[in-house]
């Protein structure tokens, strides 16, 4: 089983918050900040969380170069697109935006065990670049991708004059097909026009399952069916 080890050293030549792989053991990953510092939160004065999950989850991380690490204690920062983790010796570190290709993990909820997958590397669209994390709702010839962007906003109390900082979330959903990102519209005709090569089969599926195109889970099932054809 691979593991992550944080190595803080001024002697390591690395890009800012970059990744340096050294040593004869392939399971060792050394992450170094040019200032020799571990991860520090930049949002302590902001109400809410910048992460998809506020608490750490144990997940599998695949780097852009293809190396994979299993059961890493991590969380995804939706403001900076960085991956924060806890190293084998208990120190917090982070991987800068664009270093991670995929993260997958399971989360136990009241409704059962949910599986999550996040990926980067998709074409730029709207204000997102190829370093942006998307939650993968369906994967295949046509992938169904959910984008959650968080940013810090300031609100002023008109009575007290106090300024409060908090996170604001924006969500968009896309279909990724034939190398293009297409904004998802919660409309049967709009979706089926994109999946036009299997119109007959999809129309039958929609009719039999009474697919609600405003329900992302039901659309994901439709796309899984499309990808299986």
């Amino acid at each position: 089983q691979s593991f992550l080890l944080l190595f803080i050293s001024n002697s390591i030549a690395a890009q800012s918050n970059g990744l340096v792989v050294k040593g004869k053991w392939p399971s060792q990953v050394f992450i170094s900040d040019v200032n020799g510092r571990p991860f520090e939160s930049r949002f302590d004065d902001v109400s809410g969380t910048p992460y998809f999950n506020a608490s750490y989850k144990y997940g599998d991380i695949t780097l852009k170069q293809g190396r994979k690490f299993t059961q890493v204690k991590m969380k995804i920062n939706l403001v900076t697109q960085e991956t924060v983790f806890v190293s084998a010796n208990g120190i917090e570190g982070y991987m800068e935006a664009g270093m991670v290709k995929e993260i997958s993990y399971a989360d136990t909820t009241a409704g059962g065990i949910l599986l999550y997958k996040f990926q980067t590397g998709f074409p730029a669209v709207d204000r997102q670049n190829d370093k942006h994390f998307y939650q993968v709702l369906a994967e295949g010839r046509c992938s169904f991708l959910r984008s959650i962007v968080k940013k810090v906003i300031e609100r002023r109390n008109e009575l007290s004059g106090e300024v409060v900082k908090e996170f604001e979330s924006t969500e968009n959903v896309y279909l990724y097909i034939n190398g293009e990102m297409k904004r998802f519209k919660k409309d049967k005709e709009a979706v089926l026009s994109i999946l036009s090569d299997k119109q007959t089969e999809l129309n039958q599926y929609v009719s039999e399952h009474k697919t609600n195109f405003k329900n992302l889970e039901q659309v994901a099932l439709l796309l899984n069916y499309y990808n299986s054809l």
Side-chain angles (χ1 to χ4, degrees):
Q1 175 172 310
S2 300
F3 63 91
L4 291 176
L5 174 67
L6 186 72
F7 182 76
I8 306 301
S9 172
N10 290 322
S11 64
I12 291 182
Q15 294 181 349
S16 176
N17 307 320
L19 183 104
V20 176
V21 179
K22 300 183 69 175
K24 60 183 179 180
W25 296 287
S27 61
Q28 289 182 319
V29 176
F30 298 85
I31 296 181
S32 173
D33 184 295
V34 288
N35 297 316
R37 296 183 311 211
F39 168 79
E40 294 181 3
S41 175
R42 285 165 279 172
F43 304 111
D44 289 339
D45 61 339
V46 184
S47 176
T49 178
Y51 305 104
F52 181 77
N53 288 111
S55 59
Y56 281 103
K57 305 294 179 183
Y58 285 92
D60 297 342
I61 297 176
T62 302
L63 301 184
K64 186 177 180 181
Q65 300 95 325
R67 297 189 66 192
K68 185 173 182 178
F69 303 89
T70 60
Q71 290 301 289
V72 178
K73 196 174 180 181
M74 60 81 219
K75 53 187 177 181
I76 301 170
N77 189 318
L78 297 178
V79 177
T80 63
Q81 305 302 313
E82 296 165 345
T83 303
V84 181
F85 69 94
V86 177
S87 67
N89 58 351
I91 300 176
E92 266 190 326
Y94 71 100
M95 300 179 190
E96 65 183 0
M99 292 176 60
V100 174
K101 171 62 178 176
E102 180 177 295
I103 291 175
S104 60
Y105 66 95
D107 192 15
T108 302
T109 69
I113 298 177
L114 298 179
L115 301 178
Y116 291 91
K117 179 183 284 189
F118 289 83
Q119 292 179 345
T120 65
F122 295 97
V125 62
D126 296 333
R127 296 186 179 182
Q128 292 102 236
N129 58 26
D130 62 351
K131 299 177 181 180
H132 187 82
F133 274 109
Y134 292 89
Q135 183 185 0
V136 181
L137 304 178
E139 189 173 17
R141 282 187 299 146
C142 182
S143 292
F144 197 31
L145 307 174
R146 179 187 182 208
S147 165
I148 304 174
V149 177
K150 290 193 176 186
K151 65 179 181 179
V152 179
I153 62 170
E154 296 184 354
R155 299 187 188 278
R156 181 181 297 275
N157 186 309
E158 295 184 1
L159 295 178
S160 67
E162 179 184 8
V163 176
V164 177
K165 293 181 181 180
E166 60 187 25
F167 292 105
E168 181 179 73
S169 296
T170 302
E171 180 174 327
N172 287 299
V173 184
Y174 301 88
L175 298 172
Y176 175 61
I177 186 169
N178 297 326
E180 296 182 10
M181 298 285 279
K182 298 180 180 292
R183 187 184 284 271
F184 169 69
K185 296 180 181 180
K186 300 177 181 180
D187 176 78
K188 174 185 173 181
E189 285 70 28
V191 173
L192 295 190
S193 67
I194 295 174
L195 312 176
S196 58
D197 59 324
K198 299 294 180 180
Q199 283 261 1
T200 301
E201 296 92 331
L202 295 182
N203 271 311
Q204 183 176 348
Y205 179 97
V206 169
S207 177
E208 291 177 355
H209 294 82
K210 302 187 186 326
T211 303
N212 179 357
F213 284 82
K214 295 181 180 180
N215 184 310
L216 296 186
E217 291 183 6
Q218 292 187 23
V219 176
L221 290 174
L222 172 66
L223 288 170
N224 283 333
Y225 172 69
Y226 170 80
N227 290 326
S228 72
L229 296 174

